[in-house]
Amino acid sequence: MTGWVARRVLQMVPLILGITVVLFAVIQAAPGGPEGALLESGRFIDPEVIEAYRQRLGVDEPIPVQYVGWLGAAVQGDLGVSFSTTRPVAEMILERLPATLELMGASFLLAAVLAFAIGTFSAVRQYSWFDHLGTGASFLGIAMPVFWFGLILQLVFGVWLGWLPVAGRGTVGASGLGDHLLHLVLPATVLSLRYVAGWSRYLRSSLLQALRADYVRTARAKGLPESVVVGVHGLRNALIPVVSIMALNLAGLFSGAVITETIFAWPGIGRMFVQAMFARDYPLLMGILLLGSVMVVVFNLVADLVYGLLDPRIRYE
Amino acid sequence: MTRLRRSVPVCALALLAACGGGDGGPEAAAGTASAGEARSPGILRIAYDREIDVLNAFTSQNLVDIQFSMVEGLVTTNDRNEYVPVLATEIPTPDNGGVVENADGTVTMTWPLHQGVRWHDGEPFTSADVCFTWRFVTAPGSQVYNRHEYLGIVDCATPDEHTVVFTWDGPYGYATGLFEAMLPEHVLGDLTAEEIVDYTPYNRGEALVGTGPFRFAEWRAGEYIRVVRNDDYWRGDSLPAIDEIVWSFVPDDNTRFNALKAGQYDWARILPTQVDEARGLDGYDVFLVSSNSFLHFDLSLNSDNARALFSDPAVREALFLAVDRAAIADQLMQGTVVLADSPINHTSPYHNDDTPGVPFDPDRARAMLDAAGWQPGPDGIRVKEGRRFSFEMLNRAGTSDRIAVAQVIQAQLKDVGVEVTFQTLESAAWTQRWRSGQWEAMVSAWFLPADPSVTGLYACEGSNNMTGFCDPELDALMERSDRTLDPARRKAALDSVQVAVAGEHRFLPLYFNVVPELVSTRIEGHRGSGTNFGSFWNLWSWRLR
């Protein structure tokens, strides 16, 4: 087992290296460059300044040279300095990480609880009114555009009812946990909706399949109570496909939720990424994308490990 | 807690300075109790549309206005596109003897500075700081966007602590509008220009000292910038009247509007399409600030096709006659914008009221195109010598207002037998194409400073002239207006520049954008400003009721 994990970790190195090559190439392939940000404001710009700017940032060098320079620093833990803010990329990402983890974590927790409840109940009471309602609501949740749903919730709970703040991560000057949690409610709800819808569908179909399996019939024949049949024999087997989906979604935890963060003015990584994208802030983009890629690779491994825990038949040698 | 409501007069006129009056009812009520917002009367909350990059007013790539709460310069611009002195006691002119043309062609410009001004750390602000700022801006590594405008200064002298004397290598009309900010020599003096550009403690605020009414307090990444009252402000102990300002970054236009409706903020820029609804909101006034953001329809001579189509001035005029600008302003922009006839805003003293406009006359447009030899072809599109009258408009993704305008132009030109195709590029890609000159037509906008010079836009070698149009006579006219120090003579020169530019029909002026500002009735003293220095130029005199 340990040897298997070590092998998997070693395999990650060339994989991530390859990913960085692709990322670097794709980012640079986008037309325009960081000097575009200079012109964004519509002011008159001295053309000499534009050239000097490109030179200072090093973007006038050939792309392979830039990549080698970036990689050389990155392996030593230096992700470079953001073009637009002149600050270290690692520092900027770390600064935004708590807000991102908080929002993503809260919505994952919320989504997991709701999805398990809805998915299990829908499967156990297949074709009941609850199941039909759950199906309808799930499709609605998958189809609902996040930006629209977010704005509607703002209007209802923020503007009309006045129960919740419309945007932000906290009231300036107020430091209570309550204030903080109130700000979290709307974005976490919006963000979890999609996961609730998706996961509960997966769990429902997976559990339906499990409940028709021979071992479940055997369990029932042994006279086990229904809660044990569903909870232990059914659910545990049904979880395997759901867990791999969740683990992959979990990787997204670190790269943030672009639209939700923008709509709710949440200071997470997703919003920073969009800004970096428009500004062609190459080092910051690389930093964020690298973090996201590493997380995907790592959580893939985690998913594989969790399979082993859920299903004793799966063994890693 | 109840939400107190009262009706509020809506100020909808551009630059209405007397706005914000009211009957003085119970205030400090625009909060939602359940959201836990205990609103202190001294805190001004602003919903700002983006997180800015750096706090150095010279090197920021964003429009600089938050900075002006902390940092002051020799001058700023007011709501009438005029320069007003800040750290200078008056603006030097030939009339007051501050500007003298010397026999050798150089110009001496003497700025008298306020006495008793101290930086936020207690150090005195002196003329040496002005010269230090000049040395930074003109250093090759400073990358200040308008560095070239400062290069005419060949010497900076400090006869005493409160007088600074610039020697210019010649007369420049724009000379009075520079130095909108000051850098502290005692903080940054040991650094090179390149090091200052990258100096994070200043860029981020911790080491930022200014002379402004507010001092830096906190910058929470992705959330807000907070400044607090400068108790040592040079304008007097009672100023500023506000204790604290928080600029929260709220990037989404709809969210910003919702948050104001919920009373979370006191001030925000909103969209023209939100103005109608905003007028009905209790507790807020709508300011329609006529911005110097000048929208225009540009033609180019860059490609063979463009040259074949647009070289004839009569053809260009015909195209412009076919565009119903009033419909664009009234319907598309819901009557919030001001039609433009010149790149210089109507609010500026340099605007020429006699600049000929372009009427909407599609019949004359057709007749002129016929006369120029462009006859309708089988598909309705005009043809001349085997060439169809068809060109490509380059759009910038995300600028929905400009793309909507482009669509109207496309439809109206089709009415006179001209085909317009679209290509839409993402912002940075668009910029690259624009600079490379590989385009035929576009709807574009400039954000012009209060200084009325348009040379950079229209001169043959103008740094922002990517159209391929070139007219040496116009160049001579513009050069004269740029090298005139006397405001009256400069106005006369610019009057003829505006008429000459209009006569060339190389672009169609559309309108001056409005930047609608939703301002809480708690705020007194807000006057707005349409220049690229923004509406916070007089924050020191704002009050909260």
Side-chain angles (χ1 to χ4, degrees):
Chain A
M1 178 79 178
T2 324
W4 177 83
V5 172
R7 255 198 331 276
R8 280 288 300 265
V9 171
L10 272 181
Q11 283 165 4
M12 282 181 192
V13 175
L15 178 63
I16 288 172
L17 211 63
I19 290 175
T20 61
V21 174
V22 174
L23 288 180
F24 206 87
V26 167
I27 287 174
Q28 296 263 359
E35 71 277 8
L38 284 172
L39 297 143
E40 176 87 8
S41 59
R43 302 184 296 194
F44 301 164
I45 309 283
D46 179 358
E48 271 179 39
V49 166
I50 295 172
E51 274 322 299
Y53 186 70
R54 286 182 61 86
Q55 226 169 12
R56 174 169 74 92
L57 302 179
V59 291
D60 54 338
E61 301 209 38
I63 294 172
V65 176
Q66 289 183 50
Y67 175 72
V68 171
W70 177 84
L71 189 68
V75 292
Q76 294 168 44
D78 175 12
L79 290 176
V81 170
S82 156
F83 287 171
S84 53
T85 66
T86 71
R87 299 176 58 215
V89 166
E91 193 181 304
M92 288 177 71
I93 292 178
L94 282 178
E95 206 172 57
R96 298 286 189 111
L97 208 52
T100 298
L101 289 179
E102 182 183 303
L103 173 61
M104 302 298 281
S107 35
F108 260 69
L109 216 63
L110 189 65
V113 170
L114 288 176
F116 273 57
I118 295 171
T120 310
F121 205 76
S122 295
V124 173
R125 301 263 188 277
Q126 196 188 3
Y127 303 135
S128 65
W129 65 265
F130 181 89
D131 183 26
H132 289 301
L133 191 75
T135 307
S138 296
F139 284 124
L140 199 68
I142 292 170
M144 187 109 69
V146 171
F147 66 90
W148 182 83
F149 187 52
L151 289 173
I152 293 299
L153 288 188
Q154 283 179 359
L155 206 59
V156 174
F157 294 99
V159 179
W160 293 342
L161 297 174
W163 292 351
L164 296 166
V166 169
R169 193 180 172 214
T171 308
V172 182
S175 54
L177 182 68
D179 175 69
H180 199 92
L181 289 177
L182 280 175
H183 281 83
L184 189 58
V185 173
L186 287 185
T189 306
V190 168
L191 199 55
S192 63
L193 185 75
R194 161 158 311 224
Y195 297 123
V196 173
W199 297 349
S200 65
R201 299 313 295 165
Y202 283 116
L203 189 65
R204 176 182 177 276
S205 64
S206 175
L207 188 56
L208 278 175
Q209 223 165 20
L211 289 177
R212 290 198 194 98
D214 292 340
Y215 53 81
V216 169
R217 198 179 314 126
T218 311
R220 286 211 174 98
K222 281 196 294 188
L224 290 176
E226 188 64 15
S227 60
V228 177
V229 173
V230 174
V232 178
H233 295 80
L235 206 55
R236 191 161 166 189
N237 283 289
L239 273 182
I240 294 174
V242 182
V243 161
S244 51
I245 300 278
M246 288 178 70
L248 284 182
N249 286 172
L250 208 61
L253 210 81
F254 292 85
S255 33
V258 172
I259 299 171
T260 311
E261 286 179 6
T262 305
I263 290 196
F264 289 100
W266 193 265
I269 289 177
R271 221 175 93 201
M272 188 163 71
F273 178 74
V274 176
Q275 241 175 349
M277 196 74 211
F278 284 121
R280 297 286 192 276
D281 192 339
Y282 299 146
L284 188 53
L285 282 174
M286 279 306 288
I288 299 171
L289 287 172
L290 184 65
L291 177 75
S293 316
V294 170
M295 288 305 156
V296 170
V297 177
V298 167
F299 280 102
N300 253 318
L301 175 62
V302 171
D304 285 348
L305 290 173
V306 174
Y307 291 161
L309 293 179
L310 285 171
D311 188 345
R313 287 171 303 180
I314 300 175
R315 285 276 174 271
Y316 301 110
E317 306 283 322
Chain B
M1 184 175 171
T2 51
R3 253 187 94 175
L4 301 170
R5 289 174 179 271
R6 67 194 182 87
S7 66
V8 160
V10 171
C11 326
L13 287 173
L15 301 173
L16 201 72
C19 228
D23 50 7
E27 280 301 330
T32 43
S34 49
E37 292 184 53
R39 189 184 283 268
S40 150
I43 302 182
L44 173 63
R45 289 160 203 261
I46 292 171
Y48 200 72
D49 51 8
R50 62 164 70 202
E51 176 161 22
I52 59 167
D53 48 4
V54 293
L55 283 174
N56 186 331
F58 286 109
T59 60
S60 171
Q61 295 159 20
N62 304 130
L63 289 180
V64 179
D65 54 7
I66 293 177
Q67 283 88 338
F68 291 145
S69 64
M70 295 170 272
V71 177
E72 294 173 322
L74 296 180
V75 293
T76 188
T77 48
N78 69 6
D79 49 340
R80 291 189 295 276
N81 259 302
E82 296 160 339
Y83 289 106
V84 288
V86 181
L87 290 174
T89 54
E90 65 174 352
I91 293 179
T93 63
D95 281 347
N96 65 20
V99 175
V100 178
E101 293 198 54
N102 302 316
D104 61 355
T106 60
V107 172
T108 306
M109 190 178 194
T110 307
W111 289 86
L113 305 177
H114 277 289
Q115 308 211 353
V117 177
R118 276 188 296 277
W119 295 99
H120 292 158
D121 56 6
E123 293 288 317
F125 161 77
T126 68
S127 51
D129 291 306
V130 181
C131 289
F132 170 71
T133 304
W134 164 70
R135 284 198 302 277
F136 166 74
V137 173
T138 52
S142 76
Q143 290 164 32
V144 176
Y145 76 98
N146 57 347
R147 171 176 167 264
H148 57 295
E149 294 183 347
Y150 291 80
L151 292 178
I153 304 177
V154 291
D155 185 49
C156 179
T158 54
D160 64 62
E161 290 202 335
H162 306 294
T163 309
V164 66
V165 181
F166 296 135
T167 307
W168 291 79
D169 61 12
Y172 293 96
Y174 56 71
T176 47
L178 305 179
F179 293 101
E180 68 266 27
M182 280 294 142
L183 296 176
E185 184 173 25
H186 67 280
V187 176
L188 303 171
D190 294 336
L191 305 174
T192 65
E194 287 85 355
E195 285 167 344
I196 292 175
V197 173
D198 286 333
Y199 188 52
T200 303
Y202 187 89
N203 288 340
R204 253 334 251 189
E206 300 97 77
L208 188 154
V209 293
T211 58
F214 297 90
R215 53 176 86 217
F216 176 82
E218 188 187 8
W219 181 346
R220 290 274 294 258
E223 291 190 66
Y224 58 81
I225 288 174
R226 192 165 64 87
V227 301
V228 295
R229 183 178 196 273
N230 174 12
D231 295 327
D232 191 26
Y233 191 44
W234 58 271
R235 285 188 206 259
D237 287 342
S238 60
L239 293 171
I242 296 172
D243 297 320
E244 193 175 317
I245 306 177
V246 182
W247 279 271
S248 297
F249 312 129
V250 186
D252 187 81
D253 295 321
N254 294 304
T255 302
R256 216 159 47 242
F257 193 39
N258 276 343
L260 265 86
K261 284 199 264 185
Q264 253 181 296
Y265 302 104
D266 303 311
W267 191 101
R269 295 193 190 100
I270 58 172
L271 299 177
T273 47
Q274 293 167 334
V275 166
D276 268 350
E277 192 183 349
R279 282 187 175 136
L281 288 182
D282 287 345
Y284 292 100
D285 292 329
V286 182
F287 276 76
L288 294 185
V289 175
S290 178
S291 150
N292 285 6
S293 166
F294 165 64
L295 207 82
H296 49 97
F297 171 39
D298 259 354
L299 302 175
S300 87
L301 296 178
N302 290 328
S303 69
D304 287 340
N305 186 48
R307 276 188 293 276
L309 300 181
F310 305 137
S311 287
D312 181 353
V315 169
R316 301 198 296 264
E317 186 181 355
L319 293 182
F320 296 161
L321 286 169
V323 177
D324 187 358
R325 301 183 305 151
I328 292 174
D330 293 341
Q331 286 158 34
L332 212 53
M333 302 310 292
Q334 308 189 350
T336 55
V337 299
V338 185
L339 277 187
D341 48 22
S342 149
I344 299 174
N345 200 332
H346 302 261
T347 57
S348 165
Y350 288 97
H351 176 259
N352 181 0
D353 295 334
D354 298 326
T355 311
V358 182
F360 173 50
D361 193 346
D363 291 332
R364 217 175 107 215
R366 285 188 199 95
M368 286 176 78
L369 287 170
D370 286 341
W374 290 95
Q375 299 300 330
D379 58 352
I381 303 302
R382 290 173 187 271
V383 184
K384 180 181 177 183
E385 292 156 10
R387 183 184 291 276
R388 291 173 82 241
F389 206 124
S390 171
F391 62 91
E392 184 184 87
M393 189 114 88
L394 190 64
N395 293 323
R396 181 168 172 173
T399 56
S400 50
D401 52 339
R402 293 184 211 176
I403 293 176
V405 170
Q407 284 166 340
V408 172
I409 292 175
Q410 182 187 42
Q412 293 182 332
L413 289 183
K414 191 152 188 253
D415 275 353
V416 297
V418 170
E419 183 182 70
V420 181
T421 57
F422 278 176
Q423 189 182 8
T424 303
L425 293 180
E426 180 269 348
S427 179
W430 181 92
T431 306
Q432 191 186 37
R433 274 283 288 280
W434 168 71
R435 288 194 58 77
S436 72
Q438 301 300 304
W439 54 276
E440 295 179 332
M442 59 170 58
V443 172
S444 178
W446 284 113
F447 207 151
L448 292 107
D451 187 86
S453 174
V454 290
T455 313
L457 296 181
Y458 306 125
C460 300
E461 299 298 322
S463 57
N464 291 297
N465 178 6
M466 306 297 161
T467 61
F469 281 100
C470 173
D471 176 3
E473 276 177 43
L474 179 66
D475 277 17
L477 270 180
M478 290 190 294
E479 170 81 5
R480 212 177 69 215
S481 74
D482 282 345
R483 306 300 294 249
T484 304
L485 291 171
D486 174 41
R489 278 174 46 216
R490 191 169 185 219
K491 159 110 177 92
L494 278 163
D495 279 354
S496 35
V497 167
Q498 290 172 73
V499 172
V501 166
E504 284 195 342
H505 297 291
R506 59 165 88 168
F507 66 93
L508 175 66
L510 293 166
Y511 56 78
F512 285 99
N513 226 330
V514 281
V515 181
E517 291 172 351
L518 199 49
V519 182
S520 165
T521 49
R522 294 174 72 217
I523 298 176
E524 284 176 54
H526 173 269
R527 286 166 64 184
S529 169
T531 74
N532 55 358
F533 289 0
S535 287
F536 303 136
W537 63 275
N538 65 340
L539 267 180
W540 59 271
S541 63
W542 287 24
R543 283 172 194 285
L544 291 179
R545 282 187 291 179

